[in-house]
Amino acid sequence: MTTVLTPASPLTAADRCDRCGAQAYVRVVLLSGGELLFCAHHGRKFEPELKKIAAEIQDETERLTAVPASASDEER
């Protein structure tokens, strides 16, 4: 997925996938206006079609594999 750095606010746990209701990690701002939110799975699944209609794509899926600072500190 292509990441676009925008001044959009970060996605939160309250943001839900428009397809399945899981936590959203991808925001798609449409060329026609409006936006769609997707979980990582549906963001990847629909990526080819979304790129055709998106003005911007905000991809925060890297948060799924990031190690929290407190967890990495405990391992030391």
Side-chain angles (χ1 to χ4, degrees):
M1 176 123 345
T2 302
T3 303
V4 175
L5 301 175
T6 65
S9 59
L11 294 165
T12 69
D15 294 309
R16 311 312 287 180
C17 176
D18 289 329
R19 181 75 172 135
C20 70
Q23 184 173 345
Y25 288 92
V26 178
R27 174 182 284 131
V28 180
V29 179
L30 304 172
L31 290 169
S32 60
E35 69 179 22
L36 297 171
L37 300 176
F38 292 101
C39 63
H41 165 77
H42 285 113
R44 283 189 300 271
K45 180 177 179 179
F46 299 124
E47 178 182 9
E49 294 303 313
L50 292 171
K51 285 183 173 181
K52 296 176 186 177
I53 61 170
E56 297 179 33
I57 297 177
Q58 178 183 350
D59 181 2
E60 296 183 9
T61 56
E62 74 281 350
R63 292 177 29 211
L64 292 168
T65 56
V67 177
S70 59
S72 63
D73 291 342
E74 292 174 10
E75 294 176 5
R76 292 181 191 176

